[in-house]
Amino acid sequence: MTGLGAVFRPQLAPERLRAVARVADEVGLEELWLWEDCFREGGISAAASALAWTERVRVGVGLLPVPLRNVAVTAMEAATLHRMFPGRAILGVGHGVQDWMGQVGARAESPLTLLREHLLALRALLGGERVTTEGRYVRLDDVALDWPPGQGVEVFAGATGPRSLRLAGEAADGTVLTASTPPDGVRRARRLIDEGRATAARADGHRVVVYLLAATGPDAGERLRAELAAEGDASVPDLGVAGDAAAVAKAVERLAEAGADTVVLQPTGDEPDPEGFVRFAAEEVRPLVA
């Protein structure tokens, strides 16, 4: 079955998260995803709060920019969430928006090298290993978590370009694709991810999560077109969806047929009713998705 989720966008004030998370839990939404966009809201603090306010919904962070964190800190925070809320936290990391990284003095000369080193060390630490490594960016000397997760933990990587998609297949357990990815883009991403998996002789599972920009309501088309234009995606075919539950479900299924395991509905930045959007996803769209 195709997984379905929704995004709590950081354009909303942090104090709005509690109400949205509780609605997601009440209506049976499978996954609620959060972003750590500079300079809005902290991903780990928001995820911990959402998990504490709810009982069953899985909470994803997509993505944590690795230039901002020592990998040991990422591992400690991720392990803490997984031990306190077993099976409910989803962690995604990425190399970050380079302009933002530059603003805080954390821009890496080779973002891909940094992401590779971070992924390898992070997965090893969360797997309970004791790690010593001397990389270009990641340096650890006999580091192990005192409280590693009690079960296997998936680490997702955000990826867009061919090299980062191959790296995700090689070094991550799953991939997060942005809302700028149409069905054909998902197919291409799957091929590149599989190339990376083959390079690393990976035979385990690899879940692909795709954001889908979605709008519903009387002004849905106008809001969708405005956001696509603002993101420079107005000319990309088959991108985003506006309309009722049937229209959104069809768009979800097109992404699933292209290779998405989970589709996360991303409201427009000016969505007037975030709680209603979550209800729409769970109560109206979910029953129509195979």
Side-chain angles (χ1 to χ4, degrees), residues 51-93:
L51 288 162
W53 288 324
T54 56
E55 296 293 333
R56 48 152 306 280
V57 67
R58 299 182 74 203
V59 176
V61 183
L63 304 160
L64 297 173
V66 298
L68 298 183
R69 284 179 180 78
N70 183 285
V71 69
V73 175
T74 309
M76 288 189 295
E77 291 184 327
T80 300
L81 287 183
H82 281 285
R83 291 187 68 102
M84 291 194 299
F85 308 100
R88 293 182 55 212
I90 311 168
L91 176 68
V93 299

Side-chain angles (χ1 to χ4, degrees), residues 9 31 49 114 140 146 156-158 168 183 195 236:
R9 293 187 58 155
E31 297 181 3
S49 299
L114 169 57
L140 299 174
D146 282 8
F156 287 72
E195 289 177 12
V236 179

Side-chain angles (χ1 to χ4, degrees), residues 10-251:
Q11 283 85 353
L12 297 170
E15 56 268 26
R16 295 290 304 275
L17 176 58
R18 183 174 185 172
V20 174
R22 286 189 165 178
V23 168
D25 213 41
E26 291 166 4
V27 299
L29 186 72
E30 294 153 49
E31 297 181 3
L32 181 67
W33 283 75
L34 315 170
W35 296 349
E36 188 169 80
D37 279 0
C38 296
F39 300 95
R40 292 183 170 125
E41 294 158 11
I44 295 294
S45 55
S49 299
L51 288 162
W53 288 324
T54 56
E55 296 293 333
R56 48 152 306 280
V57 67
R58 299 182 74 203
V59 176
V61 183
L63 304 160
L64 297 173
V66 298
L68 298 183
R69 284 179 180 78
N70 183 285
V71 69
V73 175
T74 309
M76 288 189 295
E77 291 184 327
T80 300
L81 287 183
H82 281 285
R83 291 187 68 102
M84 291 194 299
F85 308 100
R88 293 182 55 212
I90 311 168
L91 176 68
V93 299
H95 53 54
V97 176
Q98 296 309 295
D99 287 346
W100 290 342
M101 299 304 99
Q103 282 182 268
V104 298
R107 187 167 186 161
E109 185 177 347
S110 177
L112 205 64
T113 300
L114 169 57
L115 182 57
R116 177 186 297 278
E117 293 178 359
H118 197 102
L119 280 168
L120 294 174
L122 177 60
R123 290 179 64 239
L125 290 168
L126 292 175
E129 297 179 29
R130 183 170 297 276
V131 181
T132 295
T133 184
E134 185 73 21
R136 181 174 178 181
Y137 298 104
V138 174
R139 300 176 178 87
L140 299 174
D141 181 11
D142 196 34
V143 175
L145 296 176
D146 282 8
W147 297 103
Q151 58 186 23
V153 174
E154 293 179 321
V155 177
F156 287 72
T160 53
R163 292 193 301 162
S164 60
L165 286 163
R166 291 190 187 97
L167 172 60
E170 182 180 344
D173 302 301
T175 301
V176 180
L177 303 177
T178 73
S180 297
T181 314
D184 283 347
V186 176
R187 292 186 184 92
R188 287 192 296 272
R190 267 290 187 189
R191 288 195 294 269
L192 292 162
I193 290 166
D194 287 344
E195 289 177 12
R197 285 168 53 76
T199 298
R202 298 282 298 270
D204 51 348
H206 190 101
R207 187 156 67 100
V208 173
V209 177
V210 185
Y211 292 126
L212 171 63
L213 185 63
T216 191
D219 59 348
E222 181 181 345
R223 287 190 289 113
L224 179 70
R225 287 189 294 272
E227 180 133 338
L228 289 172
E231 295 295 324
D233 290 331
S235 63
V236 179
D238 298 322
L239 199 60
V241 59
D244 60 10
V248 175
K250 287 180 181 177

